[in-house]
Amino acid sequence: MRMFARFIGFVFATGALLAVIAALAAGGLIYVYSKDLPDYTQLKNYEPPIMTRVHAGDGSLLAEYSHERRLYLPSNAIPPLVKQAFISAEDKNFYTHNGVDPEGIIRAAMVLAQGNKHVQGASTITQQVAKNFLLTNERSFDRKIKEALLSLRIERAYSKERILELYLNEIYLGLGNYGVAAAALNYFDKSAHELTLAEAAYLAALPKGPNNYNPWRNRDAAIARRNYVIDRMVENGYATRKDGDAAKAEPLTVNPRALSPNSIAAGYFAEEVRRELNDRYGDKKLYEGGLSVRTTLDPKMQLMARKALVDGLLRFDEAHGYRGPLKVIEISADWGQSLGEIPALGDVAPWRLAVVLDANDVSARIGLQPPREKSGEISHVRETGSLTADGIRWTRQRMRQALKPGDVVYVEPVEGRSGQFRLRQIPEISGAIVAMDPYTGRVFAMVGGFSFDQSSFNRSTQALRQPGSSFKPIVYATALDNGYTPSSIILDEPIEIAQPNGEVWRPENFEEGHYGPHTLRYGVEHSKNLMTVRLARDIGMPLIAEYARRFGVYDDMATYLPMSLGAGETTVMRMVTAYSMLANGGKRIKPTLIDRIQDRWGHTIYRHDERQCLGCDAPKFDPSNEPKLVDNREQVLDPLTAYQITSIMEGVIQRGTGVSIKEVGKHLAGKTGTTNEAKDLWFIGYSPDLTVGVFLGYDKPRSMGDSAQAATYAAPIFRDFMKMALADKPDTPFRVPPGIKLISVDVHSGLRSSGAGAILEAFKPGTAPPDTYRGGGDSHASHTPATDQAVGSGTGGLY
């Protein structure tokens, strides 16, 4: 008996000793691994990378920028159904364990012993948080030990809901999506709150291996894993068996969210916003900061602008003939595969790539490029159509001459004629159009070329081009602001200017000939170079350069006389901004594509409108003390001068180089611009509430032809856009500022007249033509007001 007691004592002593040794070993192990553990307290202030989202003025989504596609949802905003799906799939004891789940470890070990390696592992959600946030993906016992130790600490420091929040926002769920919010949008085009049981279960199936459960390439495996999660949810009491069976019977319908259709037409606009955000905040904040950007874009106006510009570019391009196919391929039984592999521009819809299958004298049969499936594979569906003689009439060739089997071309459906198409070609010429609110500088629409997919170079903001005669209103506004009147007389006669290099510059009018003395108004309306140079010489180029700086056309303009004819280089955006200041009465504005920027927490960190509103924070409205907006913007031009040049540019459209725009039927002002050899064509103009600028030219400047004029190609684009943009707007006259005197004068002489050809001319106080005139020694003195005889007086004379 004593021997047995001693044996039992020995066993207990040995056991105790082994327990102590094990405890010491475990303690030592914990001590060793604890020394190098990452600081888990950083999870308290963790801010994950979140995508920046850019919205149009109406709230529609234009673009997203991110390294990791993620939207962050706090725990109280994540639906219980989503939480339950992930807990069932990944960690059913999440709410009861302390970071490490012994039951899960034993279960995983038993399954592993049975040789099955493809079921739920032993890591808890807390362990996955520790690994994803604080450790690496290294597969080793060292990492697993650190992971377990960190999990225990995390569980003591944070609530279960905080841990689950971190996990559900960090986890990678395939197709570039991180977190449940982004995945819900990009798999099902839904918010997390809208997910069904089957959809939530599919997302919860993905953490084990997103590529293994790709909904297109591995559809059967994806459905099987989804159904497994549904069964676990039923088993855990999160769903009834009836609901579970119904969810398992549902097809796996993945509907990736597409950006707004507006984004296709707004590529240049969105990219300009991206560049500004990057310049303002840097790459990290742009792609990871979760900014919410509300832009100034008007989606409807953007579509109008794109249509007007594209139509104008095609008018010019097609007038210069057909240049042949994009590519030639062999016609085989599976022509669709060959055609489908050719990259097509994604922003030229409804254009489509097509291959000519056969052609005769009057028609051609074409095969249309098959679309790509969601999986990225080329569709097996083959679609054909026909090109008729009308569809290639612009080529001025017969069908067999223009098209041959194997030619790859762009075609456009003929409206109202099913299966019939029109031949198209990508224009060589390019251009830009910008539409702006003249009172705020908000850009409603911007198109920087024919296709953003073809070239991201933005001709609205990046192309430095000569504005030509579209710069003349700045010259004439300078004169009107410094003593001239619209009736001041200037000579349209040859002039010679000695250059610093000893050469003589002899400017010429665009149209040959010169016609003697004319009013300042006439010089703008008919874009007379000789009159402009004489005027610029008289008022001085340094003064004109100062006004060009005020209007933002140039930062530092050279003071050579040719600059008065628009020989410098500027951008469409700068010119539209300058004309906006003429339209708004001479107030300085800053162009902007962004109204407001908010950070990830919803705090406004940028607002374009800097005006102060006095009384807007009053607790209640007081009719006797209405809120007032304080406008401290700089006055860069006398409002009376701004109205005078606006009235003169109305004449450009009524009688001058922009007469084709009259058919819009609204009060409009503007100016054409054609440079030497027609390398640049412009039209900049405005209504009382909208300023629009159009530019056309080759990217490598070259002549557009002897007959090319802004009046022929640029003005019609402005006309077409204004027809659409102002279609449902009333015809509003330009506001006449206090102090302007409208006097009836003869349009040719500028003298008082109420007969045929008389117009209402705008004069500042004290500058109106007198009622009577006297003659003088000069052969043209009869055209000159008696009070304005002195050459250089600024209110008249012959220059």
Side-chain angles (χ1 to χ4, degrees):
M1 197 67 179
R2 289 183 178 177
M3 292 293 294
F4 180 73
R6 288 178 181 175
F7 174 74
I8 294 299
F10 175 77
V11 169
F12 274 110
T14 303
L17 180 61
L18 290 174
V20 170
I21 293 172
L24 291 173
L29 194 66
I30 292 172
Y31 173 75
V32 170
Y33 279 98
S34 295
K35 289 194 299 182
D36 298 325
L37 285 180
D39 179 13
Y40 64 92
T41 61
Q42 62 185 280
L43 297 178
K44 181 179 180 181
N45 299 315
Y46 175 67
E47 292 186 359
I50 303 176
M51 72 175 80
T52 287
R53 311 180 86 201
V54 179
H55 299 268
D58 66 353
S60 59
L61 186 64
L62 282 184
E64 294 174 333
Y65 301 111
S66 64
H67 295 310
E68 297 179 357
R69 188 181 293 170
R70 178 189 285 106
L71 297 171
Y72 198 88
L73 284 180
S75 180
N76 59 9
I78 301 173
L81 180 67
V82 174
K83 295 179 181 178
Q84 293 160 2
F86 277 85
I87 288 171
S88 296
E90 295 294 309
D91 185 3
K92 74 170 188 174
N93 296 322
F94 173 70
Y95 284 114
T96 58
H97 64 62
N98 63 354
V100 178
D101 184 10
E103 179 185 334
I105 295 172
I106 294 170
R107 184 174 59 249
M110 291 176 63
V111 171
L112 184 62
Q114 295 170 2
N116 188 344
K117 301 179 181 180
H118 299 289
V119 295
Q120 180 177 315
S123 290
T124 64
I125 284 176
T126 311
Q127 286 176 278
Q128 292 185 58
V129 167
K131 179 189 72 173
N132 293 338
F133 286 85
L134 304 172
L135 299 170
T136 68
N137 288 323
E138 175 192 3
R139 299 178 67 89
S140 67
F141 283 109
D142 282 356
R143 196 214 76 199
K144 293 297 291 184
I145 293 171
K146 291 180 179 180
E147 183 182 289
L149 293 174
L150 280 170
S151 298
L152 296 171
R153 294 185 178 187
I154 290 171
E155 287 275 349
R156 289 197 300 269
Y158 303 106
S159 69
K160 289 286 187 179
E161 289 303 311
R162 173 59 175 168
I163 295 168
L164 192 57
E165 174 185 308
L166 292 171
Y167 172 76
L168 292 176
N169 282 287
E170 179 69 16
I171 192 70
Y172 179 63
L173 297 173
L175 302 185
N177 297 297
Y178 290 80
V180 294
L185 282 172
N186 293 296
Y187 277 104
F188 301 111
D189 196 15
K190 293 181 177 181
S191 71
H193 291 85
E194 298 172 304
L195 293 175
T196 65
L197 173 60
E199 290 165 345
Y202 175 68
L203 295 187
L206 293 170
K208 283 299 178 190
N211 292 331
N212 297 335
Y213 306 116
N214 184 286
W216 299 291
R217 290 195 299 269
N218 302 308
R219 188 173 188 82
D220 291 343
I223 292 174
R225 177 67 183 174
R226 179 201 68 177
N227 292 348
Y228 166 81
V229 176
I230 293 172
D231 286 338
R232 299 289 74 73
M233 294 180 72
V234 172
E235 182 182 302
N236 295 334
Y238 296 133
T240 66
R241 173 54 62 188
K242 179 181 178 181
D243 290 341
D245 289 342
K248 288 164 65 176
E250 290 181 20
L252 178 57
T253 304
V254 173
N255 180 32
R257 178 179 56 109
L259 293 177
S260 163
N262 303 322
S263 64
I264 297 175
Y268 290 103
F269 190 101
E271 174 60 13
E272 194 70 22
V273 171
R274 188 200 66 79
R275 279 196 288 261
E276 181 175 341
L277 294 173
N278 195 63
D279 290 344
R280 186 184 291 270
Y281 299 113
D283 186 89
K284 183 175 178 61
K285 195 159 188 176
L286 168 61
Y287 290 99
E288 300 179 5
L291 302 176
S292 177
V293 184
R294 178 60 64 94
T295 71
T296 61
L297 184 78
D298 181 321
K300 292 180 180 177
M301 203 173 286
Q302 177 70 20
L303 292 171
M304 295 172 187
R306 188 177 184 280
K307 175 173 172 52
L309 179 65
V310 167
D311 288 351
L313 295 175
L314 292 177
R315 266 196 301 269
F316 179 92
D317 189 69
E318 292 184 357
H320 289 74
Y322 178 56
R323 294 187 300 277
L326 294 170
K327 194 171 183 177
V328 178
I329 63 175
E330 289 187 15
I331 299 298
S332 63
D334 192 14
W335 51 264
Q337 185 68 28
S338 300
L339 184 61
E341 292 172 353
I342 298 175
L345 299 178
D347 58 352
V348 295
W351 290 19
R352 293 178 66 178
L353 268 185
V355 62
V356 178
L357 301 176
D358 55 63
N360 55 37
D361 287 337
V362 294
S363 67
R365 190 167 64 95
I366 57 173
L368 300 169
Q369 185 179 54
R372 287 188 177 271
E373 305 286 1
K374 292 177 180 178
S375 63
E377 296 179 356
I378 297 170
S379 170
H380 294 293
V381 176
R382 300 293 176 257
E383 186 182 354
T384 60
S386 65
L387 284 170
T388 63
D390 284 344
I392 69 160
R393 191 177 305 282
W394 64 269
T395 68
R396 295 177 290 280
Q397 298 180 38
R398 298 181 65 181
M399 190 69 71
R400 286 185 189 274
Q401 290 176 302
L403 300 171
K404 295 178 175 55
D407 285 358
V408 177
V409 295
Y410 274 104
V411 296
E412 181 180 22
V414 176
E415 189 174 351
R417 296 184 182 180
S418 178
Q420 291 191 19
F421 294 82
R422 186 184 194 279
L423 180 66
R424 288 299 197 184
Q425 72 178 358
I426 298 172
E428 285 187 327
I429 195 173
S430 199
I433 183 171
V434 172
M436 179 183 292
D437 181 337
Y439 295 93
T440 63
R442 298 175 69 244
V443 177
F444 293 136
M446 171 196 288
V447 186
F450 173 75
S451 164
F452 182 77
D453 280 2
Q454 179 192 28
S455 166
S456 61
F457 181 71
N458 192 337
R459 287 94 182 159
S460 299
T461 58
Q462 294 177 300
L464 290 170
R465 306 298 292 239
Q466 293 184 345
S469 296
S470 65
F471 178 72
K472 288 176 182 176
I474 305 300
V475 176
Y476 285 84
T478 304
L480 291 168
D481 214 37
N482 289 276
Y484 282 77
T485 78
S487 290
S488 294
I489 301 299
I490 306 168
L491 282 178
D492 180 20
E493 295 288 353
I495 185 172
E496 294 184 349
I497 308 294
Q499 301 295 297
N501 60 7
E503 296 181 359
V504 175
W505 178 49
R506 298 179 179 86
E508 297 178 354
N509 288 328
F510 180 81
E511 296 176 348
E512 293 183 2
H514 37 83
Y515 303 96
H518 281 289
T519 63
L520 182 147
R521 170 183 282 276
Y522 179 89
V524 180
E525 289 184 354
H526 297 277
S527 200
K528 296 299 182 181
N529 291 343
L530 295 175
M531 294 176 68
T532 304
V533 172
R534 285 178 179 275
L535 181 65
R537 185 178 65 172
D538 185 67
I539 59 179
M541 286 303 297
L543 186 59
I544 293 171
E546 167 58 21
Y547 275 76
R549 184 196 63 77
R550 286 189 203 175
F551 281 96
V553 178
Y554 304 113
D555 293 328
D556 186 18
M557 188 183 95
T559 55
Y560 304 123
L561 275 171
M563 296 292 286
S564 66
L565 301 180
E569 291 183 335
T570 188
T571 67
V572 178
M573 181 68 81
R574 282 176 172 247
M575 289 298 293
V576 171
T577 305
Y579 273 61
S580 291
M581 295 184 218
L582 298 176
N584 71 21
K587 288 278 191 182
R588 180 180 300 284
I589 59 169
K590 293 189 296 185
T592 183
L593 280 66
I594 298 173
D595 273 334
R596 185 191 66 208
I597 303 173
Q598 294 173 293
D599 64 16
R600 66 170 67 209
W601 310 115
H603 303 133
T604 297
I605 57 177
Y606 168 80
R607 189 189 301 277
H608 170 68
D609 193 343
E610 298 175 345
R611 292 175 298 174
Q612 292 181 322
C613 183
L614 301 180
C616 286
D617 56 352
K620 63 179 182 178
F621 177 69
D622 181 0
S624 63
N625 186 24
E626 294 182 356
K628 296 180 177 62
L629 279 174
V630 180
D631 189 353
N632 293 321
R633 291 177 298 175
E634 178 187 357
Q635 191 77 41
V636 298
L637 189 71
D638 185 339
L640 306 186
T641 301
Y643 179 77
Q644 286 181 312
I645 196 65
T646 294
S647 174
I648 289 171
M649 285 196 288
E650 281 191 274
V652 171
I653 292 172
Q654 295 301 314
R655 294 171 295 277
T657 55
V659 72
S660 66
I661 297 167
K662 278 179 70 174
E663 66 179 81
V664 176
K666 303 287 174 73
H667 281 76
L668 297 171
K671 182 70 184 73
T672 52
T674 305
T675 63
N676 285 342
E677 300 179 20
K679 292 180 179 179
D680 306 271
L681 304 180
W682 298 71
F683 192 91
I684 318 288
Y686 47 90
S687 72
D689 299 306
L690 183 64
T691 307
V692 177
V694 175
F695 156 75
L696 276 76
Y698 292 104
D699 284 341
K700 291 185 178 180
R702 60 184 172 93
S703 175
M704 284 178 263
D706 295 338
S707 62
Q709 297 181 42
T712 307
Y713 292 108
I717 297 175
F718 177 89
R719 175 200 66 203
D720 293 349
F721 174 76
M722 283 302 199
K723 274 186 177 180
M724 293 184 281
L726 303 180
D728 58 349
K729 302 290 193 300
D731 181 20
T732 307
F734 290 98
R735 188 181 69 85
V736 181
I740 281 289
K741 211 170 189 181
L742 295 175
I743 297 175
S744 181
V745 301
D746 180 79
V747 70
H748 300 293
S749 67
L751 305 182
R752 288 179 183 263
S753 172
S754 57
I759 62 169
L760 286 177
E761 189 62 272
F763 292 94
K764 296 176 184 177
T767 68
D771 294 329
T772 59
Y773 299 90
R774 64 177 176 80
D778 193 289
S779 60
H780 299 293
S782 59
H783 294 288
T784 308
T787 56
D788 299 337
Q789 281 292 315
V791 173
S793 66
T795 56
L798 304 179
Y799 305 122

